[in-house]
Amino acid sequence: MSPVKLRASRILSEYGEAHSELIGKAVVLSDGKAGTVENVWLDELHGLRISITGHDGRWPVSTIKFVES
């Protein structure tokens, strides 16, 4: 496998793991918003972003302060 394909494969694998780990989990963001993760996106400019129930918008995954265990 070429280095580019290998790198792309790793990125997609990590995205899949993050998607599986976050969808349906209760989270609290650094600005106090809280809810359940509805979806996860891979944004070429900002990296991994999430949407949560009850709030319009998408936030960087780095703003998560608490994830339901």
Side-chain angles (χ1 to χ4, degrees), residues 6-17:
L6 184 58
R7 186 173 183 199
S9 178
R10 287 183 190 149
I11 290 169
L12 291 174
S13 176
E14 289 295 324
Y15 167 75
E17 286 183 36

Side-chain angles (χ1 to χ4, degrees), residues 42-53:
L42 187 57
D43 182 330
E44 67 227 16
L45 298 176
H46 303 101
L48 211 53
R49 297 179 76 78
I50 62 167
S51 66
I52 57 175
T53 55

Side-chain angles (χ1 to χ4, degrees), residues 33-69:
K33 289 180 179 73
T36 303
V37 176
E38 288 182 312
N39 208 345
V40 176
W41 289 271
L42 187 57
D43 182 330
E44 67 227 16
L45 298 176
H46 303 101
L48 211 53
R49 297 179 76 78
I50 62 167
S51 66
I52 57 175
T53 55
H55 301 282
D56 292 331
R58 297 177 182 177
W59 292 270
V61 73
S62 62
T63 61
I64 296 175
K65 292 293 183 181
F66 173 79
V67 178
E68 170 188 59
S69 41

